[in-house]
Amino acid sequence: MSHPIVTDTCEPTGTADVNRGQLLTRDHSQATDSALPARKEGARYFEATYRVRTGDVDQDMRVRLDAAARYLQDIANDNIDATDLGDSDPFWIVRRTVIDVISPISWPATVTAQRWCGALSTRWTNMRVRLTAEHETNRFNPEPREPGLIESEAFWINVNDQGMPSRISDNAFELLSSMTDEHRLRWKSMNPEQAPDEEGASAPDREHVLRSTDFDPFKHLNNAAYLEAVEDELVDHGDLIEGPHRLVIEYLRPIVPGTPITVRRVREPRRLLLWMLIPGDDAEYQVAATASVTKR
């Protein structure tokens, strides 16, 4: 169920240039161990609630990272529908998503999502979403659990109907800029973009099989589908997600139906790095996306 845009009265506790389609300027993104910026006092935000379903969780009842990404997509769509942005600024693409799992969310529960602009420039924004959950019990998960908390930030680029970065409309800029004092957002990658060679990886490359259901009506791989590949890897790295952890995924190149994906990974003491590779024009691999999961 969606709710109107509201105004915050207090902050809850607990917590560029474009060249060939790639952003090359720097931004003020948080370092790996830095907390995401708090909401500006009194800033407006959009709120919606979603039920946690069994299809959102793993075998331990934990809400998976790909499910959290779907909540972020849902509230983004609901937010646009509740404003005039659907007419003036209808097309946005995600360049990066940061998901900080501070206290895990599990089933059964209702998730409350709050969304606001944390920073922006004339063509892109950092949209913050806070996910909180009051857990319930049932016969399958009868033990009481602490409330869940996930903080997130996504770098959204406003594009035109040709998919090229475009200026945010005056009305949209006025709305978004009222939520933040950071109006000079720039880009800087948070993950290493260059993949190591096979000899430098921690394990042999593996293929990640895509399905037709992973693609949207525009023949783009759904952002959440990328995180299914990450979840496949976390099965062997459960220590990284036993407590608070951060996921950072950066989307570098589109993946279209029929494209084979090769996953290369490096395990460090407190971090898992992933590169999703696709065939290039010269038979060499190109990096389509990078991901990292860091124990915090």
Side-chain angles (χ1 to χ4, degrees), residues 19-175:
N19 181 12
R20 297 182 183 176
Q22 294 186 20
L23 300 170
L24 301 177
T25 54
R26 346 184 254 111
D27 74 356
H28 304 296
S29 298
Q30 309 304 304
T32 300
D33 293 326
S34 299
L36 295 174
R39 184 164 60 229
K40 176 183 174 181
E41 184 176 357
R44 302 171 70 195
Y45 62 91
F46 179 78
E47 183 174 286
T49 58
Y50 307 100
R51 288 292 294 172
V52 175
R53 307 295 184 182
T54 53
D56 299 332
V57 300
D58 67 5
Q59 297 173 47
D60 296 318
M61 307 290 186
R62 171 188 65 94
V63 167
R64 303 185 310 270
L65 292 170
D66 60 293
R70 277 188 287 274
Y71 298 151
L72 303 184
Q73 292 178 167
D74 288 345
I75 193 173
N77 290 330
D78 292 343
N79 192 179
I80 288 177
D81 287 344
T83 66
D84 294 331
L85 270 65
D87 295 323
S88 63
D89 303 76
F91 304 117
W92 298 81
I93 59 172
V94 177
R95 181 70 167 83
R96 170 174 56 227
T97 300
V98 179
I99 297 177
D100 281 349
V101 180
I102 298 168
S103 179
I105 298 174
S106 56
W107 175 78
T110 295
V111 172
T112 298
Q114 296 178 344
R115 186 175 192 259
W116 69 93
C117 180
L120 82 164
S121 189
T122 57
R123 288 177 170 82
W124 41 77
T125 71
N126 268 346
M127 298 302 296
R128 288 273 281 109
V129 177
R130 172 177 294 129
L131 303 176
T132 57
E134 293 296 329
H135 289 122
E136 306 156 17
T137 59
N138 60 16
R139 62 184 296 182
F140 303 103
N141 200 0
E143 296 298 323
R145 288 103 65 208
E146 294 182 358
L149 174 61
I150 294 176
E151 298 279 9
S152 73
E153 181 178 82
F155 192 100
W156 288 83
I157 304 173
N158 189 40
V159 298
N160 59 25
D161 55 5
Q162 303 300 313
M164 296 302 295
S166 178
R167 289 183 65 88
I168 298 171
S169 70
D170 291 344
N171 288 341
F173 190 89
E174 181 180 1
L175 171 66

Side-chain angles (χ1 to χ4, degrees), residues 193-215:
E193 292 188 7
Q194 184 172 352
D197 56 27
E198 290 185 66
E199 290 73 20
S202 299
D205 291 348
R206 73 166 180 87
E207 181 185 7
H208 180 72
V209 178
L210 298 175
R211 296 170 173 82
S212 61
T213 52
D214 294 329
F215 293 88

Side-chain angles (χ1 to χ4, degrees), residues 134-290:
E134 293 296 329
H135 289 122
E136 306 156 17
T137 59
N138 60 16
R139 62 184 296 182
F140 303 103
N141 200 0
E143 296 298 323
R145 288 103 65 208
E146 294 182 358
L149 174 61
I150 294 176
E151 298 279 9
S152 73
E153 181 178 82
F155 192 100
W156 288 83
I157 304 173
N158 189 40
V159 298
N160 59 25
D161 55 5
Q162 303 300 313
M164 296 302 295
S166 178
R167 289 183 65 88
I168 298 171
S169 70
D170 291 344
N171 288 341
F173 190 89
E174 181 180 1
L175 171 66
L176 296 170
S177 64
S178 69
M179 304 176 191
T180 177
D181 295 326
E182 177 53 78
H183 297 168
R184 296 178 61 85
L185 176 65
R186 311 245 179 153
W187 170 265
K188 182 181 180 181
S189 179
M190 295 176 68
N191 288 336
E193 292 188 7
Q194 184 172 352
D197 56 27
E198 290 185 66
E199 290 73 20
S202 299
D205 291 348
R206 73 166 180 87
E207 181 185 7
H208 180 72
V209 178
L210 298 175
R211 296 170 173 82
S212 61
T213 52
D214 294 329
F215 293 88
D216 64 21
F218 306 102
K219 297 184 179 180
H220 295 155
L221 184 63
N222 187 286
N223 293 336
Y226 290 81
L227 295 184
E228 294 175 3
V230 176
E231 285 285 344
D232 279 347
E233 293 298 327
L234 289 176
V235 170
D236 296 325
H237 302 276
D239 61 299
L240 293 177
I241 58 175
E242 289 175 348
H245 54 280
R246 167 171 288 184
L247 173 281
V248 179
I249 182 164
E250 296 182 337
Y251 307 98
L252 307 182
R253 291 177 176 84
I255 298 176
V256 298
T259 304
I261 294 182
T262 298
V263 179
R264 187 166 296 169
R265 59 268 206 220
V266 169
R267 173 61 199 260
E268 298 175 348
R270 297 177 59 86
R271 182 172 67 162
L272 175 67
L273 293 167
L274 302 173
W275 292 265
M276 300 181 195
L277 309 176
I278 59 176
D281 294 336
D282 55 1
E284 295 292 330
Y285 281 130
Q286 293 182 323
V287 179
T290 64

